[in-house]
Amino acid sequence: MTRRRTVLAVTAGALALPVALSGAVSTPATATSGWSSAWAATTDTSAPATTLASVRTIIGADTGAAAALTGKGVGVALIDTGVAPVPGLPAAQVVNGPDLSFESQAANLRYLDTFGHGTHMAGIIVGNDTASGMKGLAPQAKLTSIKIGTASGAVDVTQMIAAVDWVVKHRNDDPANPIRVINLSYGSGGNPPNWTDPLQFAVEKAWQAGIVVVAAAGNNGNSTTKLTNPAMDEWILAVGASATNGTAATADDTLATFTNLAVGGNQVDLLAPGTSIASLRDPGSNIDNTYASARVGTTLFKGSGTSQATAVVSAAAALVLQSKPAATPDQIKEWLIKGGTFLPNGKAGTMGLLELNVNGALARTGTAVAKPTWNTSKGTGTFELARGTSHVILDNAPLSGERTVWGPLASPQWAPKSAAQTSWSGGTWMGFKIAGDDWTGTSWASKTWAAATWTATPWVSSATWTDPAWTGRTWSGRTWSSGTWSGRTWSSDDWASTSWD
């Protein structure tokens, strides 16, 4: 009899939980549900869909100089749950970087989005769905997908760190579309010291390499006292969600009640539309099966959260970079923030939080930007503090301490190599063979990084990387084959998507 192995997660108090229709917090899903408590969701279907055409109007991208921009020539790295080859996601605009998720060890799941989150983010950025007329906000940007999350979102912070390192190392592999933006609709469960945290060190190195890092503030509500990690890092661009209240006008927009706010440390830098955003549906994925009422027609799906707001800002950053390709991340950040639209109502007005305005940002591109003097992380803090109280669990054993998914590692060994951009060599990261060595893989996308079989021993020595639950699930042209995603991994970190509504 084959023993079913499961990867679960201890639910951290800092992670957002699913919300019931009434607004009360529900209990976490059971292991057999295939649903992770680290991805917050609602079953409320009352809110009308916010189209990307409306979002484009709200953020001032459909008039003036912004209207002519498409993101052409700008690469955007999406570190997420992968993307699915739905018709609304043009293969010519998508590159598959390495799959660093647990599902990379299953050929039928590799690179593909089994959860539905990554596809939704990709649609906001580069989608082009002729069936519905939906078009992404930067439709000619080149999207590089680096998959680290499974069907239920399971991911360890060390997979995220390895992915960021890979992007920095390979940002110029396509000279016509260098990666200038990283979209992180994600937040770890940790609350580590900013001056030593390895995750913040990784994103700061990306920033220093000329990449605008856009991160979700989190969805634990306005009463929280800190942003999620790495949005709490002062260097990068921390995004909160605005509630559009069903209109394309900005005068009635407010701070979304689910957005994290900070009492000390880095505050939300910028707001962007993040409620009931209609983007690409991933048919048969976990969220599609679980929240069928969130479907809009046959090709779209509604989602709310700082995840969606982050994707909106990443697309906007690509537009501004198309216009000003020599701009530094510090310049892009300040232009986007100071070019925003004032929201007079509620906490946004009281706090002076601005909503994204692309034309406003373009109007500021002639202004000088002083170099910030924020403190930087040394990267020598523990991976355990970066995880916080949420841990990936394999056969009832949590991944903890100073080790990665693939084996033991001390951050003081990793940090100097990350800084020197030598943590990766081919498909080997810090001595662990976790991907292929070059762009020789095959998938539906225009270009693909090769895969590799993981040879490292899991942190439970008696276990293997394979899961019997992976068999029998295939992508069949336009949808996942029928069935549930039970028996799969659970999320250990917060991807900052507050609802599928």
Side-chain angles (χ1 to χ4, degrees):
M1 180 177 179
T2 302
R3 180 185 181 190
R4 172 170 288 185
R5 64 178 278 285
T6 57
V7 180
L8 306 176
V10 176
T11 302
L15 299 182
L17 296 175
V19 181
L21 181 62
S22 65
V25 177
S26 67
T27 57
T30 61
T32 56
S33 73
W35 185 253
S36 164
S37 63
W39 301 71
T42 72
T43 53
D44 184 3
T45 60
S46 60
T50 304
T51 68
L52 288 183
S54 292
V55 172
R56 190 173 288 107
T57 298
I58 292 166
I59 66 171
D62 63 348
T63 60
L69 298 174
T70 62
K72 185 176 178 60
V74 180
V76 179
L78 177 68
I79 305 177
D80 213 286
T81 61
V83 292
V86 294
L89 202 55
Q93 302 309 124
V94 178
V95 169
N96 272 324
D99 185 341
L100 306 182
S101 73
F102 294 106
E103 291 175 349
S104 68
Q105 301 307 287
N108 55 316
L109 306 180
R110 188 177 298 139
Y111 308 116
L112 299 173
D113 183 10
T114 53
F115 192 94
H117 185 270
T119 302
H120 205 261
M121 303 306 111
I124 292 171
I125 300 169
V126 298
N128 190 0
D129 182 46
T130 56
S132 65
M134 184 223 79
K135 183 171 285 190
L137 302 174
Q140 291 188 33
K142 183 63 71 74
L143 187 88
T144 297
S145 169
I146 301 94
K147 178 179 175 179
I148 61 171
T150 65
S152 56
V155 58
D156 184 63
V157 71
T158 57
Q159 289 166 295
M160 173 59 79
I161 289 170
V164 174
D165 277 357
W166 185 90
V167 172
V168 175
K169 176 82 170 182
H170 295 278
R171 66 192 186 280
N172 294 320
D173 281 10
D174 180 359
N177 300 279
I179 295 174
R180 299 294 310 279
V181 181
I182 294 178
N183 185 92
L184 298 181
S185 294
Y186 161 94
S188 82
N191 182 23
N194 296 49
W195 53 92
T196 58
D197 180 50
L199 178 56
Q200 292 180 54
F201 181 88
V203 297
E204 286 173 12
K205 293 306 169 186
W207 193 267
Q208 292 162 15
I211 303 173
V212 179
V213 182
V214 188
N219 302 304
N220 306 119
N222 295 168
S223 62
T224 52
T225 59
K226 281 184 176 285
L227 309 187
T228 57
N229 192 14
M232 62 174 60
D233 190 291
E234 293 170 313
W235 285 95
I236 68 173
L237 188 52
V239 178
S242 58
T244 61
N245 296 307
T247 75
T250 59
D252 62 348
D253 290 358
T254 56
L255 172 68
T257 56
F258 54 75
T259 295
N260 281 30
L261 296 175
V263 172
N266 194 38
Q267 185 56 275
V268 168
D269 291 311
L270 187 65
L271 301 178
T275 53
S276 298
I277 305 297
S279 184
L280 293 176
R281 175 189 170 208
D282 182 0
S285 63
N286 197 350
I287 60 170
D288 185 61
N289 290 346
T290 307
Y291 295 101
S293 57
R295 297 170 186 168
V296 179
T298 59
T299 60
L300 303 183
F301 201 80
K302 286 192 297 179
S304 299
T306 55
S307 277
Q308 284 74 13
T310 297
V312 171
V313 174
S314 290
L319 299 182
V320 179
L321 281 164
Q322 179 189 359
S323 175
K324 298 293 180 182
T328 67
D330 293 330
Q331 290 174 315
I332 296 296
K333 178 180 178 179
E334 181 161 317
W335 294 339
L336 287 172
I337 294 172
K338 292 189 175 180
T341 300
F342 176 70
L343 301 183
N345 301 312
K347 286 188 176 181
T350 302
M351 298 176 63
L353 297 175
L354 303 183
E355 187 173 42
L356 174 66
N357 185 319
V358 178
N359 271 317
L362 292 172
R364 295 193 64 85
T365 56
T367 61
V369 175
K371 181 70 175 177
T373 57
W374 307 117
N375 292 326
T376 57
S377 174
K378 295 178 181 178
T380 54
T382 66
F383 294 125
E384 185 62 17
L385 283 177
R387 290 187 185 103
T389 55
S390 183
H391 296 82
V392 177
I393 298 176
L394 173 61
D395 292 344
N396 297 317
L399 171 58
S400 61
E402 296 320 285
R403 64 171 295 141
T404 70
V405 166
W406 309 281
L409 179 65
S411 59
Q413 295 175 310
W414 158 79
K417 292 188 176 183
S418 176
Q421 300 177 24
T422 59
S423 62
W424 277 92
S425 177
T428 300
W429 180 72
M430 294 303 299
F432 304 114
K433 182 68 172 178
I434 58 177
D437 289 327
D438 209 340
W439 296 100
T440 56
T442 57
S443 74
W444 65 279
S446 62
K447 191 177 181 182
T448 302
W449 191 269
T453 299
W454 292 355
T455 57
T457 302
W459 61 95
V460 182
S461 59
S462 60
T464 66
W465 293 119
T466 59
D467 187 339
W470 288 343
T471 62
R473 299 310 304 272
T474 58
W475 180 265
S476 304
R478 289 173 177 253
T479 185
W480 285 104
S481 56
S482 61
T484 66
W485 294 102
S486 60
R488 297 196 178 279
T489 53
W490 270 19
S491 175
S492 58
D493 288 330
D494 183 4
W495 286 87
S497 178
T498 194
S499 67
W500 303 100
D501 49 7

